[in-house]
């Protein structure tokens, strides 16, 4: 941090001393002229424990004042200017940097009283004259920031400056509390449209203007909000403002919570502390209101506490097999946000910014849901879920579930790149429960159209139905993670004595003819097992070369002599040996005429070693007489074959 | 009290304009004559203390109602936006105060309601000290007034010949400034003789202040509380001095919008109430 040297200060203080006399004479004339119109100023000033010196910067720092720039700001943005002044010998000059200035991205500092603080109870505003080299808008300017508690911080946002000197004021929301204020002034301002500029402030002081009145405080931005909640949850009073009327119109500032008094209408349901932290302690309904200096604030929050909150079940999978987006059970990957607020696209969804904490555990509550995205593509690395097989999410619907209600999960890979792909999975209302957690383990292959998933950037929750009308509006979401489902390998298939080609198939028979046909550039045949190790030591397997330039939908068809029997299970298993991990393998089951077919994708989780994958056709129509198994390796739209050789073996319905 | 005949020429009667005096002018006027005393007259001849709850005393006050259309003057000659009523919601005496309250509501053909009362034919007087203690409303487009009009001499006189003395006018968006004016032949409307008074470090909507004139032959002195800020004599006005030979009556109203003040905007808080603690007349 930078502070003025004592030498500098001495020089400035000398200037003050000399200039004050001149100022007084000039000022005195004005006061005389006005005096006849005014009533006498009352003389009942109370004795102050701390200095009630109103000056911050008249022609130099007032006594005890020091300057501390914000970290990351241009440290030398503030200087004392003796040429451009409103009055007297010096003014404060602030040089806002250009975008990209290596010295700092913005100008900003606090000006703090170092003698213990000032008593400002006798004033009603911080006032100053200001002008700028262009019509700039100071992002934040105010007082009460002391790099400590910032208890009575006040900020006036977006103060517009002109190129002429003009007087501005920042009303004190409630002067009676400022018995010992150290933060006498602060500001933060960035470039305007990329360009820096200069502004000056002069005669910065506290004043009793007497003309600031008709205060209208607000909480929750003046809105009467309502929210469902649970015992153990915390939330905060937000949207604090104080609007005052002045002879120049209304001025709105943002006061710290400590200026307000907050109240909970039913303290058995929730309590609210001086910082505006609301803690839910019981079931029932309470309304949080506030007041500032005795004036009731506009806006409120009505909380309907449903009682104890049932947390989602704690996930049990090994962290090693998990990439977690949002769960207390795992270390989570960084995200850009849990709610992207795509309001320009019509998003209405609130919540998730940030997630709420109930009894120390985080959970996301999306309300007014139509769609909402969790982003991992802007300032954080996208998620490489190539090795993962499933997406897990726990959902708890907070309202009645009607016919036709649904939630759609959508994954987008390569967001805002030329290779962007996406896939959707619809969860129907029948599979959701009101006020009850339901866990979903969705094979990533069911996000049809996603293809690769090496750079997942967005996960959407969409309640809109096919007519684009929102259905479910209020959900809790927890334990969002990708995981690798390492299926326990099933026994090897020995079909050496089989009399027909029917599942299970191990390609071990030397008498049967396995009608194996590659198409669209796949070259397929029965071949010796190139890697008789690990989970697959058998002699013979199926081999498929996806030749260079083959269609992405090149594959291998295996004709069966008997239809697949799903009576014991709908889980199709197969061992595969791939030179690539994280590629989708599509298994399509067809009837003889190929008029009925079902398909699913599974993804390799490893390379150059045999692994067993599962395609779970549960919930799909398995009644047709499926007599053909078609296997597509690396089924990624528009990705041509590259000569890779794949092997598969032990096709079966899991018993 | 004399019988007041119906007014024949209403049109000019209700036109009331003011012009904005430069603040600099008012400041310079304040420090002039230190020998001026604020008031001399102290024999109380009218004491309306508003101590009886209910409607204003009908023996003293009448109402002007509507938007002025009944008098052929929609907007009361000033493009005012309110409709005046005699409903307790808009005008009532309670807790020792007269309360005139302006609401934003659709009423008849207006977007706002308020009230206006006058002592025409019930209390009229030439010369004296006329004052009211009031706490003013505030906000863009809010225009309260405490003022007087000259008797029309059974229709023989029309405005501005009959004379108008505006003891207090105020724009809600300028909560520190009031104006005092006289209108007469040759100096009416925008040409009226007017001065403003700026409290500078206080406001008129946060506490009660006394607004008065002391009026005698050849002069009208305007004061706020104990400050004399305007003295008008015949030499000041650009026309005939019409304040030495006629009786005047009192009016109190709270207008919304109009040429003088501009329309309310989204920051104007409604309802707005003009509080009158008392009206007193001395001689």
């Amino acid at each position: 941090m930078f502070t003025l040297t004592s030498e500098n200060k001495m020089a400035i203080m000398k200037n003050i001393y000399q200039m004050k006399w001149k100022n007084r004479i000039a000022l005195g004339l004005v006061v005389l002229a006005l005096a006849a119109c005014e009533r006498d100023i009352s003389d009942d000033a109370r004795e102050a424990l701390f200095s009630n010196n109103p000056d911050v910067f008249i022609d130099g720092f007032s006594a005890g004042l020091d300057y501390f720039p914000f970290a990351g700001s241009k440290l030398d943005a503030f200087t004392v200017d003796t040429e451009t002044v409103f009055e007297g010998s010096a003014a404060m000059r602030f040089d806002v940097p250009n975008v990209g200035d290596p010295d700092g991205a913005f100008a900003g500092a606090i000006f703090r009283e170092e003698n213990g603080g000032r008593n400002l109870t006798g004033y009603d505003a911080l006032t100053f004259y200001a002008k700028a080299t262009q019509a700039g808008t100071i992002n934040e300017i105010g007082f009460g920031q002391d790099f400590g508690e910032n208890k009575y911080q006040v900020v006036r946002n977006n103060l517009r400056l002109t190129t002429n000197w003009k007087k501005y004021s920042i009303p004190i929301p409630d002067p009676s509390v400022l018995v010992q204020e150290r933060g006498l002034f602060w500001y933060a301002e960035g470039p305007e449209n990329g360009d820096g500029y200069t502004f000056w402030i002069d005669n910065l002081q506290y004043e009793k203007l007497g003309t600031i009145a008709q205060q209208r405080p607000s909480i929750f931005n003046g809105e009467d909000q309502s929210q469902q909640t649970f015992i153990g949850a915390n939330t905060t009073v937000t949207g604090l403002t104080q609007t005052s009327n002045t002879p120049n119109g209304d001025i709105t500032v943002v006061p710290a919570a400590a200026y307000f008094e907050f109240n909970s209408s039913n303290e058995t349901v929730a309590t609210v502390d001086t910082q505006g932290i609301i803690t839910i302690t019981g079931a029932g309904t309470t309304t949080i209101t506030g007041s500032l200096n005795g004036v009731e604030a506009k806006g409120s929050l009505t909380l309907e506490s449903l009682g104890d909150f049932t947390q989602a079940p704690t996930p049990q999978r090994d962290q090693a097999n998990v990439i977690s987006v949002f769960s207390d059970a795992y270390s989570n990957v960084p995200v850009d946000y849990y709610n992207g607020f795509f309001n320009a696209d019509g998003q209405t969804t609130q919540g998730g910014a940030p997630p709420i904490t109930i009894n120390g555990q985080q959970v996301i509550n999306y309300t007014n849901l139509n769609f909402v995205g969790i982003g991992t593509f802007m300032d954080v690395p996208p998620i490489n879920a190539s090795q993962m097989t499933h997406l897990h999410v726990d959902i708890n619907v907070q309202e009645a579930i009607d016919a036709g209600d649904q939630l759609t999960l959508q994954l987008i890979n390569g967001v805002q790149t030329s290779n962007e792909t996406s896939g959707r999975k619809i969860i129907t209302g029948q599979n959701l429960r009101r006020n009850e957690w339901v866990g979903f383990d969705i094979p990533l292959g069911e996000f049809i159209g996603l293809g690769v998933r090496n750079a997942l950037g967005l996960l959407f929750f969409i309640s809109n139905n096919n007519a684009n009308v929102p259905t479910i509006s209020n959900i809790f979401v927890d334990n969002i993670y990708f995981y690798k489902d390492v299926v326990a390998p099933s026994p090897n298939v020995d079909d050496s004595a089989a009399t027909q080609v029917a599942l299970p198939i191990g390609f071990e028979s030397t008498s049967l003819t396995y009608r194996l046909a590659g198409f669209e550039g796949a070259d397929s045949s029965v071949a010796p097992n190139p890697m008789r190790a690990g989970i697959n030591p058998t002699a013979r397997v199926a081999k498929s070369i996806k030749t260079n330039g083959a269609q992405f939908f090149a594959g291998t068809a295996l004709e069966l002599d008997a239809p697949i029997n799903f009576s014991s299970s709908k889980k199709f298993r197969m061992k595969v040996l791939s030179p690539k991990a994280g590629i989708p393998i599509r298994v399509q089951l067809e009837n003889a005429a190929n008029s009925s077919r079902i398909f699913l994708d599974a993804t390799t989780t490893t390379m150059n070693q045999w692994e067993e994958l599962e395609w779970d056709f549960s919930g799909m129509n398995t009644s047709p007489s499926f007599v053909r198994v078609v296997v597509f390796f690396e089924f990624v739209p528009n990705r041509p074959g590259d000569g890779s050789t794949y092997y598969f073996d032990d096709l079966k319905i899991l018993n | 009290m004399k019988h007041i005949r119906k007014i024949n020429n209403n049109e000019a009667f209700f036109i009331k304009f003011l012009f904005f005096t430069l603040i600099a002018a008012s400041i310079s006027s304040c420090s002039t004559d230190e020998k001026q005393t604020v008031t001399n007259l102290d024999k109380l001849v009218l004491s309306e203390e508003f101590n009886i709850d209910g409607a204003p005393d009908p023996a003293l006050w009448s109402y002007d109602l509507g938007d002025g259309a009944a008098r052929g003057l929609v907007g009361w000659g000033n493009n005012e936006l309110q409709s005046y009523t005699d409903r307790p919601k808009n005008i009532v005496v309670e807790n020792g105060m007269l309360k005139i309250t302006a609401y934003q509501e659709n009423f008849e053909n207006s977007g706002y309601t308020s009230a206006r009362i006058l002592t025409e034919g019930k209390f009229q007087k030439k010369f004296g000290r006329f004052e009211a203690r009031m706490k003013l409303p505030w906000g863009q487009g809010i225009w309260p007034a405490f003022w007087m009009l000259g008797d029309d001499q059974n229709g023989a006189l029309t405005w501005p010949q009959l004379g108008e003395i505006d003891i207090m006018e105020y724009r809600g968006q300028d909560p520190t400034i009031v104006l005092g004016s006289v209108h007469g032949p040759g100096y009416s409307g925008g040409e009226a003789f007017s001065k403003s008074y700026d409290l500078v470090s206080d406001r008129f909507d946060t506490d009660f202040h006394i607004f008065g004139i002391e009026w005698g032959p050849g002069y009208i002195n305007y004061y706020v509380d104990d400050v004399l800020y305007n003295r008008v004599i015949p030499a000041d006005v650009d026309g005939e001095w019409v304040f030495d030979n006629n009786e005047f009556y009192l009016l109190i109203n709270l207008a919304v919008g109009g040429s003088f003040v501009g329309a309310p905007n989204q920051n104007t808080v409604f309802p707005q109430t003009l509080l009158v603690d008392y009206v007193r007349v001395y001689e």
Side-chain angles (χ1 to χ4, degrees):
Chain A
M1 270 183 275
F2 170 81
T3 59
L4 283 179
T5 65
S6 53
E7 242 175 341
N8 287 341
K9 254 189 254 177
M10 287 300 289
I12 291 166
M13 285 169 74
K14 272 182 205 162
N15 282 338
I16 299 170
Y17 183 79
Q18 287 166 356
M19 287 313 302
K20 272 202 169 159
W21 283 106
K22 283 189 208 166
N23 279 348
R24 291 238 170 95
I25 294 162
L27 210 70
L29 291 173
V30 178
V31 171
L32 262 185
L34 294 173
C37 301
E38 286 185 33
R39 291 177 299 174
D40 286 340
I41 296 162
S42 85
D43 202 23
D44 58 357
R46 281 168 296 180
E47 191 184 349
L49 289 172
F50 292 88
S51 164
N52 61 3
N53 177 6
D55 296 348
V56 182
F57 188 106
I58 305 298
D59 283 315
F61 280 120
S62 63
L65 199 69
D66 233 331
Y67 160 61
F68 303 91
F70 288 123
S73 73
K74 183 173 152 66
L75 298 184
D76 58 354
F78 164 68
T79 50
V80 174
D81 194 329
T82 56
E83 290 180 2
T84 301
V85 300
F86 168 72
E87 202 173 66
S89 62
M92 306 169 92
R93 171 180 167 138
F94 301 91
D95 293 305
V96 182
N98 292 319
V99 162
D101 188 325
D103 292 343
F106 67 104
I110 71 167
F111 292 77
R112 190 172 70 183
E113 151 76 45
E114 299 296 280
N115 291 345
R118 301 263 184 93
N119 184 328
L120 304 174
T121 56
Y123 310 109
D124 57 17
L126 174 63
T127 70
F128 52 89
Y129 286 82
K131 71 173 230 177
T133 51
Q134 63 178 68
T137 301
I138 300 180
N139 293 339
E140 297 176 295
I141 188 163
F143 53 88
Q145 190 165 169
D146 58 7
F147 285 169
E149 219 183 326
N150 299 335
K151 186 174 181 184
Y152 292 117
Q153 180 174 312
V154 167
V155 56
R156 183 171 172 186
N157 290 311
N158 302 323
L159 181 72
R160 288 187 59 73
L161 301 182
T162 71
T163 53
N164 287 321
W165 286 108
K166 195 180 157 205
K167 188 172 183 178
Y168 298 89
S169 62
I170 302 175
I172 302 175
D174 177 6
S176 70
V177 299
L178 300 185
V179 294
Q180 187 190 355
E181 182 55 54
R182 294 186 65 199
L184 297 187
F185 176 63
W186 73 276
Y187 80 102
E189 165 63 337
E192 301 273 323
N193 299 319
D195 293 335
Y197 70 106
T198 296
F199 65 91
W200 291 266
I201 287 178
D202 202 357
N203 287 6
L204 177 64
Q205 62 187 319
Y206 287 86
E207 282 193 83
K208 173 74 177 178
L209 295 174
T211 55
I212 291 173
Q214 308 298 355
Q215 279 85 0
R216 283 150 288 152
S218 286
I219 61 176
F220 301 109
N221 294 314
E223 298 165 4
D224 291 318
Q225 302 180 350
S226 59
Q227 188 182 310
Q228 279 188 349
T229 188
F230 296 90
I231 293 170
N234 286 296
T235 184
T236 306
V237 184
T238 56
L240 308 178
T241 63
Q242 166 82 312
T243 300
S244 306
N245 186 251
T246 78
N248 298 315
D250 283 348
I251 296 175
T252 296
V253 299
V254 178
Y259 284 100
F260 286 82
E261 276 190 25
F262 301 113
N263 179 62
S264 169
S265 65
N266 187 344
E267 296 217 325
T268 65
V269 176
T271 58
V272 55
D273 72 7
T274 55
Q275 293 304 301
I277 310 287
I278 302 163
T279 304
I280 316 303
T281 54
T285 299
T286 185
T287 298
I288 308 298
T289 55
S291 64
L292 201 169
N293 201 9
V295 181
E296 188 75 11
K298 194 168 176 240
S300 64
L301 173 64
T302 297
L303 291 165
E304 184 194 354
S305 169
L306 303 179
D308 289 319
F309 183 71
T310 305
Q311 302 281 357
T314 304
Q316 300 298 325
R317 291 181 184 275
D318 187 346
Q319 170 89 59
N321 294 324
V322 166
I323 298 173
S324 180
V325 176
F326 180 78
S327 174
D328 289 309
Y330 301 114
S331 56
N332 299 313
V333 296
V335 300
D336 291 315
Y337 46 73
Y338 293 112
N339 183 340
F341 290 106
F342 295 169
N343 296 349
D345 299 316
Q347 182 184 325
T348 60
T349 311
Q350 301 292 312
I356 58 176
T357 302
I358 302 176
N359 290 324
Q361 293 196 48
Q362 287 207 306
V363 63
I364 293 172
N365 182 205
Y366 290 130
T367 56
N368 281 338
L369 178 65
N370 59 349
F371 62 88
V372 63
I374 296 175
T376 50
F377 67 99
M378 295 166 66
D379 301 325
V380 302
I383 296 170
N384 183 347
S386 297
Q387 311 283 313
M388 302 293 117
T389 59
H390 289 75
L391 171 65
H392 179 91
V393 58
D394 292 318
I395 297 174
N396 187 332
V397 177
Q398 295 294 299
E399 64 193 31
I401 298 165
D402 302 319
D405 281 4
Q406 63 177 46
L407 287 175
T408 303
L409 305 185
Q410 181 179 24
L411 285 169
I412 303 184
N413 198 73
V415 174
Q416 291 175 354
T417 70
S418 56
N419 297 320
E420 183 174 298
T421 58
S422 80
R424 290 180 167 217
K425 169 69 181 179
I426 294 173
I427 299 171
T428 61
Q430 291 95 313
N431 292 313
L432 293 162
R433 294 287 177 275
R434 181 185 192 180
N435 295 331
E436 205 177 296
W437 286 104
V438 183
F440 295 90
D441 291 283
I442 304 163
L444 292 172
E446 294 187 12
F447 288 87
I448 303 299
L450 180 64
V452 289
R453 45 181 184 271
N454 58 1
L456 295 174
L458 275 168
L459 166 60
F460 276 105
F461 293 82
I462 303 162
S463 93
N464 286 4
N465 60 20
N466 293 338
N468 215 27
V469 175
T471 59
I472 293 165
S473 76
N474 188 340
I475 60 172
F476 279 92
V477 180
D478 204 352
N479 299 318
I480 305 167
Y481 58 88
F482 300 95
Y483 67 90
K484 173 161 59 176
D485 190 18
V486 185
V487 299
S490 56
N492 294 108
V493 176
D494 180 2
D495 60 350
S496 55
T499 57
Q500 60 176 5
V501 178
L503 298 188
I505 295 172
F507 303 110
E508 300 299 329
S509 170
T510 52
S511 57
L512 287 174
T513 300
Y514 296 101
R515 287 178 290 158
L516 208 53
F519 56 86
E520 298 290 357
D523 181 0
S524 306
S525 59
V526 176
N529 183 349
M531 186 181 290
R532 295 182 67 169
I535 64 170
N536 192 13
T538 65
R540 296 184 351 136
V541 298
K543 172 184 179 182
S544 179
I545 303 168
K546 196 164 181 179
T547 57
N548 269 316
Q551 296 285 358
F552 75 87
F553 48 85
T556 307
L558 172 62
E559 303 292 339
L560 307 181
D561 296 333
I564 299 172
N565 179 354
F566 287 102
S567 61
S568 63
S569 166
K570 293 192 175 181
K571 290 176 177 171
F572 179 89
R573 288 280 187 98
M574 188 166 75
K575 292 185 177 67
V576 298
L577 173 59
S578 161
K580 301 177 191 175
I583 55 158
I585 300 174
R586 174 165 295 187
V587 169
Q588 182 163 298
L589 309 178
E590 300 174 355
N591 66 357
N594 194 13
S595 57
S596 291
R597 68 183 86 165
I598 55 177
F599 60 84
L600 283 174
D601 293 350
T603 299
T604 57
T605 68
T606 184
M607 66 179 104
N608 298 324
Q609 62 182 27
W610 283 101
E611 68 174 322
E612 186 162 324
L613 298 177
E614 182 174 283
W615 291 256
D616 184 355
F617 289 98
S618 302
M620 301 178 89
N621 181 9
T622 53
S623 57
S625 184
F626 293 124
V627 292
R628 189 178 303 114
V629 178
V630 188
V631 180
F632 304 87
F633 286 97
E634 199 169 14
F635 190 90
V636 178
N638 302 319
R639 183 183 292 179
D642 60 4
S644 294
T645 302
Y646 302 92
Y647 298 90
F648 58 101
D649 196 8
D650 292 357
L651 294 69
K652 67 173 77 166
I653 296 299
L654 191 64
N655 212 329
Chain B
M1 274 183 201
K2 71 171 198 166
H3 174 72
I4 300 292
R5 215 172 61 183
K6 278 220 165 160
I7 298 156
N8 293 326
N9 188 342
N10 298 317
E11 180 152 355
F13 192 92
F14 286 92
I15 295 173
K16 179 159 64 74
F17 285 114
L18 282 171
F19 68 88
F20 192 89
T21 315
L22 288 176
I23 293 170
S26 75
I27 289 172
S28 65
S29 76
C30 293
S31 55
T32 48
D33 188 354
E34 289 188 1
K35 289 177 215 159
Q36 284 177 343
T37 48
V38 171
T39 59
N40 294 305
L41 306 170
D42 55 8
K43 183 188 166 202
L44 198 57
V45 295
L46 174 73
S47 174
E48 167 59 286
E49 301 295 322
F50 299 111
N51 282 337
I52 299 168
D53 286 0
D57 178 6
L60 183 61
W61 300 103
S62 309
Y63 298 95
D64 270 333
L65 297 174
D67 62 1
R71 298 197 189 254
L73 262 185
V74 173
W76 301 100
N78 298 306
N79 303 314
E80 297 167 33
L81 301 176
Q82 79 290 333
S83 181
Y84 286 132
T85 86
D86 58 1
R87 301 176 303 171
K89 176 179 179 178
N90 292 111
I91 182 161
V92 69
V93 175
E94 60 186 14
N95 301 325
M97 299 280 167
L98 171 68
K99 299 179 179 176
I100 298 179
T101 302
Y103 286 87
Q104 182 170 27
E105 59 176 336
N106 289 320
F107 186 86
E108 295 175 354
N109 293 319
S110 301
Y112 305 90
T113 58
S114 186
R116 163 149 125 180
I117 52 172
L118 60 166
T119 64
E120 184 185 19
K122 296 178 175 176
F123 178 85
Q124 304 196 157
K125 184 169 170 33
K126 184 176 80 175
F127 302 147
R129 171 179 153 202
F130 300 77
E131 67 179 31
R133 183 171 184 266
M134 299 190 285
K135 183 174 166 185
L136 306 186
W138 66 284
Q140 167 66 44
I142 300 296
W143 178 16
F146 173 49
W147 52 300
M148 302 175 79
L149 281 167
D151 188 286
D152 73 344
Q153 304 296 328
N154 296 328
L157 293 179
T158 60
W159 189 92
Q161 184 68 37
L162 49 74
E164 173 179 330
I165 303 170
D166 298 329
I167 303 171
M168 184 288 298
E169 288 188 282
Y170 157 98
R171 297 176 177 91
Q173 61 265 40
D174 297 329
T176 67
I177 299 169
V178 292
L179 297 96
S181 315
V182 290
H183 302 250
Y187 53 99
S188 66
E191 307 297 315
F193 187 84
S194 179
K195 277 184 180 171
S196 67
Y197 171 58
D198 190 343
L199 273 182
V200 181
S201 58
D202 199 356
R203 299 167 56 113
F204 289 108
D205 59 336
T206 51
D207 207 345
F208 284 87
H209 294 271
I210 296 165
F211 306 92
I213 56 164
E214 198 157 72
W215 168 31
Y219 73 91
I220 303 169
N221 288 342
Y222 287 79
Y223 57 90
V224 171
D225 301 326
D226 55 357
V227 177
L228 178 65
Y229 72 95
N230 188 12
R231 178 177 174 84
V232 189
I233 58 173
D236 291 324
V237 301
D238 196 13
E240 182 194 351
W241 181 259
V242 291
F243 307 100
D244 280 350
N245 298 307
N246 199 5
E247 289 186 341
F248 278 61
Y249 56 87
L250 290 158
L251 301 95
I252 302 173
N253 68 291
L254 172 53
V256 178
S259 316
F260 170 74
V261 71
N265 62 24
Q266 71 280 4
N267 294 326
T268 307
V269 175
F270 283 96
Q272 282 293 325
T273 299
L274 166 65
L275 291 175
V276 187
D277 183 21
Y278 61 71
V279 176
R280 291 174 188 165
V281 179
Y282 303 82
E283 60 181 26

